[in-house]
Amino acid sequence: RIARVTNQDGEFLRFLADSGLRIGEAVTVEAHSTAAGCLRLAVAGQPVSIGLPAAGEILVTLDGPETAANRSMKSADNPAS
């Protein structure tokens, strides 16, 4: 679930809202491409594609055993993204 957005720029927040990426919304990462620099997400059953820099601005909580852990949607295997 989306817990927080670190980039508070109005245009960025409008992009997220228009894409269905709102605080509390459940998201699933369906595909990750470091080469293309993007993530494909499922939000309320709808596909959403965002760039890795934008994904790095979104903090999520994980459902399941790591629920308390806050994570960035930034790629863990590519910290420079």
Side-chain angles (χ1 to χ4, degrees):
R1 296 195 180 276
I2 296 175
R4 195 174 86 149
V5 176
T6 58
N7 181 341
Q8 295 296 298
D9 176 71
E11 187 175 342
F12 183 70
L13 294 173
R14 277 188 295 281
F15 163 75
L16 294 180
D18 291 346
S19 299
L21 297 167
R22 296 178 181 91
I23 301 296
E25 191 68 44
V27 297
T28 302
V29 176
E30 294 190 331
H32 169 253
S33 174
T34 303
C38 67
L39 291 177
R40 187 175 64 233
L41 310 172
V43 182
Q46 299 299 312
V48 175
S49 292
I50 62 173
L52 293 178
E57 302 289 341
I58 301 169
L59 302 180
V60 299
T61 56
L62 303 176
D63 290 337
E66 297 184 66
T67 302
N70 282 329
R71 302 287 174 111
S72 169
M73 292 178 72
K74 200 182 283 189
S75 170
D77 61 349
N78 187 5
S81 64

